[in-house]
Amino acid sequence: MTQHIEIKVRMKVQGFARSVMAMAIGMAVCGTAVAQGAVAQKVVEKGFTISAGASYNNMDTHRDTDNTVSPGIGVGYRYNNRISVEGVYSKGSSDIKDNGGDVDLKEFRLDAFYDLTPWDGSFTPYVVAGASHFEMDADNHGAHDDTRVNAGFGVRKALTENLSLRGDLRAVRSMDYAQTESMANVALTWTFGAVAPVAAPVVAEEVIVAPVVVVLDSDNDGVIDQDDQCPSTLPGATVDATGCEVSEQAELMVNFGNDSANVNAADMPIITEMAEFLKRNQNVRISIIGYTDNTGPAAYNQKLSEKRASAIRLILVDQHGIDAARIDAAGMGEESPIANNDTAEGREQNRRVMVAAAK
């Protein structure tokens, strides 16, 4: 009779264990389907964790103890978006069936979790396995402990970036008493850390290639082909702004009296020749540069040299009708003497204006 009862009890335990495994598999399948259709959110994927929850323990009949709920706390670490570990301490109490006495239950458990899909905050199925030290202290029955292992399936879901909710069903095996039991767990888990920043998409910069402009000067006269009206001038020839060879050149030098910017009447024919040259060569510009000797302050001599250059320019413009835009005038003061300033003859040569034809 006793043997018959033991066989019947064992069959009930095995049947219950198979039911637990079937429900766990169902949860995993459903969780996977939900995860595929869920919209992912940003969550902390790595860091230390702390959990608060409870376990419902379905006790083996050999323990002669009512099923019970035990609250617990856990501390762990999430390594990445799939793997995490957790150590759990739970404590509860139950009643002894045969005499109604109390029994205190304690468990120290280490669990390892593997998420079946990468953890992104959506419904994520996982598998779990663990080992624990289980203690029972019953009234009038004394205390005993045993080592238990567990395995099961569950689903987790993020509530915020750091906070998530999980639940699982597990089959539990006592290694010391050869008993098979079941356990259901639910817990809130906080993962310390911040969401990893999302790298900004790399946008390829548009490279704007400037058009290559080829400037041609076929006859190497310094005037580009598009402006060159005489594209076949001889090498070394002096040309004007249109690229045409200047048929003649003219130079002019006018001397001045001491401390004077007045042009001598004897120099007027030379200035007239310069004017005629400019009229024949409409594209030629000239530069007029005034100089002095070294008598007197340098600042005064600078202004005097400018006055001398302006005097020649004024004659060409006012008396001979040359376009003022074609004539530059400047003073160099005492600079660039052409003779020795220590003699009267040398100083006389240095008091001058020089005019040279230019392109």
Side-chain angles (χ1 to χ4, degrees), residues 109-129:
R109 191 174 72 247
L110 180 63
D111 294 331
F113 299 85
Y114 180 78
D115 294 344
L116 297 179
T117 59
W119 172 236
D120 60 5
S122 60
F123 280 99
T124 302
Y126 63 84
V127 292
V128 58

Side-chain angles (χ1 to χ4, degrees), residues 11 26 33 79 105 108 169 172 250 287 289 300 302 307 317 338-339 347 355-356:
M11 291 179 62
Y79 290 94
L105 306 175
F108 302 88
L169 294 175
V172 182
S287 297
I289 308 296
Y300 177 81
Q302 174 63 35
K307 290 180 180 179
V317 173
I338 60 174
R347 290 192 293 273
V355 178

Side-chain angles (χ1 to χ4, degrees), residues 4-205:
H4 179 71
I5 294 174
E6 290 180 354
I7 294 174
K8 188 174 182 180
V9 170
R10 189 178 299 111
M11 291 179 62
K12 288 183 177 180
V13 171
Q14 293 175 349
F16 182 79
R18 286 194 295 269
S19 298
V20 170
M21 295 297 290
M23 287 188 291
I25 294 172
M27 285 183 62
V29 172
C30 292
T32 303
V34 174
Q36 291 175 346
V39 178
Q41 64 186 68
K42 301 301 181 182
V43 292
V44 178
E45 295 181 350
K46 181 178 181 179
F48 288 97
T49 62
I50 184 170
S51 300
S55 300
Y56 176 77
N57 293 277
N58 186 59
M59 298 297 187
D60 188 278
T61 56
H62 284 79
R63 293 189 187 272
D64 197 27
T65 304
D66 289 339
N67 298 335
T68 184
V69 175
S70 300
I73 58 172
V75 177
Y77 188 78
R78 171 168 280 278
Y79 290 94
N80 50 44
N81 64 0
R82 284 188 182 267
I83 299 174
S84 58
V85 296
E86 185 177 61
V88 178
Y89 170 72
S90 64
K91 182 178 181 180
S93 62
S94 184
D95 296 327
I96 301 174
K97 292 182 178 179
D98 59 1
N99 61 15
D102 293 331
V103 57
D104 294 327
L105 306 175
K106 293 181 182 179
E107 185 173 33
F108 302 88
R109 191 174 72 247
L110 180 63
D111 294 331
F113 299 85
Y114 180 78
D115 294 344
L116 297 179
T117 59
W119 172 236
D120 60 5
S122 60
F123 280 99
T124 302
Y126 63 84
V127 292
V128 58
S132 65
H133 176 75
F134 187 69
E135 297 180 358
M136 296 182 62
D137 187 1
D139 293 344
N140 302 320
H141 283 69
H144 70 274
D145 55 15
D146 63 286
T147 300
R148 304 200 303 176
V149 294
N150 68 83
F153 298 85
V155 176
R156 71 175 82 246
K157 174 69 172 69
L159 304 179
T160 68
E161 294 178 352
N162 300 87
L163 185 64
S164 63
L165 175 66
R166 74 168 189 262
D168 56 61
L169 294 175
R170 310 186 196 186
V172 182
R173 181 69 176 176
S174 171
M175 305 302 291
D176 297 315
Y177 298 97
Q179 297 170 341
T180 301
E181 301 167 314
S182 62
M183 177 171 57
N185 295 279
V186 62
L188 284 169
T189 301
W190 180 274
T191 304
F192 293 91
V195 175
V198 179
V202 178
V203 179
E205 295 185 2

Side-chain angles (χ1 to χ4, degrees), residues 115-330:
D115 294 344
L116 297 179
T117 59
W119 172 236
D120 60 5
S122 60
F123 280 99
T124 302
Y126 63 84
V127 292
V128 58
S132 65
H133 176 75
F134 187 69
E135 297 180 358
M136 296 182 62
D137 187 1
D139 293 344
N140 302 320
H141 283 69
H144 70 274
D145 55 15
D146 63 286
T147 300
R148 304 200 303 176
V149 294
N150 68 83
F153 298 85
V155 176
R156 71 175 82 246
K157 174 69 172 69
L159 304 179
T160 68
E161 294 178 352
N162 300 87
L163 185 64
S164 63
L165 175 66
R166 74 168 189 262
D168 56 61
L169 294 175
R170 310 186 196 186
V172 182
R173 181 69 176 176
S174 171
M175 305 302 291
D176 297 315
Y177 298 97
Q179 297 170 341
T180 301
E181 301 167 314
S182 62
M183 177 171 57
N185 295 279
V186 62
L188 284 169
T189 301
W190 180 274
T191 304
F192 293 91
V195 175
V198 179
V202 178
V203 179
E205 295 185 2
E206 182 180 359
V207 179
I208 300 176
V209 180
V212 178
V213 179
V214 180
V215 179
L216 298 178
D217 179 10
S218 301
D219 54 5
N220 296 314
D221 61 357
V223 180
I224 62 176
D225 288 356
Q226 67 181 38
D227 297 330
D228 198 339
Q229 297 180 14
C230 302
S232 301
T233 53
L234 296 176
T238 301
V239 299
D240 57 22
T242 66
C244 296
E245 185 175 355
V246 177
S247 59
E248 56 180 325
Q249 298 185 25
E251 293 185 357
L252 177 147
M253 187 171 73
V254 176
N255 292 102
F256 290 81
N258 184 42
D259 194 22
S260 173
N262 296 323
V263 179
N264 297 321
D267 292 322
M268 295 302 290
I270 302 175
I271 299 174
T272 300
E273 289 182 9
M274 176 58 67
E276 294 300 325
F277 168 79
L278 293 175
K279 291 176 181 178
R280 291 191 300 271
N281 299 277
Q282 293 293 322
N283 294 314
V284 173
R285 292 173 50 85
I286 62 172
S287 297
I288 302 175
I289 308 296
Y291 299 89
T292 68
D293 58 28
N294 65 351
T295 304
Y300 177 81
N301 287 337
Q302 174 63 35
K303 294 185 177 298
L304 180 59
S305 67
E306 294 171 0
K307 290 180 180 179
R308 288 172 177 172
S310 297
I312 301 299
R313 182 175 185 273
L314 188 63
I315 293 173
L316 290 172
V317 173
D318 290 353
Q319 296 184 20
H320 296 282
I322 305 301
D323 185 0
R326 298 173 58 195
I327 305 173
D328 297 326

